[in-house]
Amino acid sequence: NAGVTQTPKFQVLKTGQSMTLQCAQDMNHEYMSWYRQDPGMGLRLIHYSVGAGITDQGEVPNGYNVSRSTTEDFPLRLLSAAPSQTSVYFCASSYDRKNYGYTFGSGTRLTVV
Amino acid sequence: DAKTTQPTSMDCAEGRAANLPCNHSTISGNEYVYWYRQIHSQGPQYIIHGLKNNETNEMASLIITEDRKSSTLILPHATLRDTAVYYCIVYNNDMRFGAGTRLTVKP
């Protein structure tokens, strides 16, 4: 099992550009989520999904879109990158939302200039 | 949402038990307590969780007080590799991470 795989590991964008952060898991987990972590701070939930075809917003959803067409994949799209979106992005997955611990990916370090 | 309070930082000697406290005085009866850790800039790692009873796994033990208003994560024999930020989370629909406790294990 590869666990949770995030690509790319590093990315530099110019303000206004769009891009997609990829997240894939091979554990047949129903629940997947995206967090961002700003320097020296805890993680904040962006979007989450409880299964294929179902997504919902977290704490800080503005400027991001998600979709869940398969159980394995949960991409995060930045529509028009802003310097405030400079952060480390983590994807997580779990068997379900409440009763199991989350498995996290290794993160994508995004800089918007 | 039930909030948690953790010390900002703690030190522990290598080989000794590390006891990390967490206060969650507003916890509701059906809310789980979760612990994660984050080593340097890696993704968080799940450690353990519990509802009412004490729990133990290969990584740690979780002691929850009878009134459930506080808990303690115990790493029985801390090593240098246990140096990390430890997050105590009360689960209520979302896994929300606060600032955590920065544990430094010293030789």
Side-chain angles (χ1 to χ4, degrees):
Chain A
N1 283 351
V4 177
T5 303
Q6 291 186 238
T7 56
K9 293 191 183 304
F10 301 92
Q11 183 70 50
V12 178
L13 286 179
K14 293 183 179 179
T15 298
Q17 287 185 317
S18 62
M19 79 160 293
T20 299
L21 280 61
Q22 301 293 342
C23 176
Q25 52 90 10
D26 60 358
M27 298 171 284
N28 203 31
H29 285 172
E30 289 295 327
Y31 179 81
M32 297 185 74
S33 56
W34 277 100
Y35 289 84
R36 61 176 287 176
Q37 185 173 33
D38 299 331
M41 299 183 66
L43 284 74
R44 291 184 292 170
L45 181 65
I46 304 172
H47 285 286
Y48 65 93
S49 169
V50 297
I54 305 168
T55 63
D56 208 342
Q57 297 181 348
E59 282 180 88
V60 288
N62 293 339
Y64 307 95
N65 274 357
V66 292
S67 60
R68 185 93 180 271
S69 56
T70 66
T71 299
E72 294 78 18
D73 299 299
F74 191 43
L76 178 72
R77 282 183 289 278
L78 279 70
L79 309 173
S80 177
S84 60
Q85 293 179 304
T86 293
S87 191
V88 181
Y89 291 84
F90 291 103
C91 178
S93 73
S94 179
Y95 284 111
D96 74 33
R97 192 176 172 190
K98 179 176 181 178
N99 296 313
Y100 292 88
Y102 293 0
T103 300
F104 281 82
S106 57
T108 294
R109 283 148 183 80
L110 176 68
T111 301
V112 182
V113 298
Chain B
D1 292 349
K3 296 190 183 301
T4 62
T5 304
Q6 298 179 254
T8 303
S9 64
M10 294 180 62
D11 291 341
C12 177
E14 187 178 21
R16 306 297 293 267
N19 296 283
L20 292 93
C22 180
N23 287 324
H24 32 77
S25 58
T26 61
I27 193 169
S28 298
N30 62 347
E31 292 178 326
Y32 283 82
V33 178
Y34 277 81
W35 284 83
Y36 288 79
R37 71 181 182 183
Q38 189 172 24
I39 297 172
H40 194 45
S41 54
Q42 299 175 19
Q45 178 187 22
Y46 164 76
I47 302 173
I48 199 167
H49 74 284
L51 184 62
K52 295 180 181 178
N53 300 321
N54 298 337
E55 303 287 344
T56 295
N57 62 21
E58 65 277 5
M59 290 183 66
S61 294
L62 173 61
I63 308 298
I64 302 174
T65 57
E66 193 168 344
D67 63 8
R68 302 210 327 121
K69 292 185 177 182
S70 66
S71 60
T72 301
L73 180 74
I74 301 172
L75 309 177
H77 305 286
T79 71
L80 300 179
R81 287 176 293 182
D82 291 322
T83 291
V85 177
Y86 287 77
Y87 298 99
C88 170
I89 299 166
V90 171
Y91 183 88
N92 182 358
N93 291 321
D94 292 323
M95 204 74 74
R96 298 208 174 188
F97 291 74
T101 296
R102 182 171 297 277
L103 175 69
T104 303
V105 181
K106 299 186 174 181

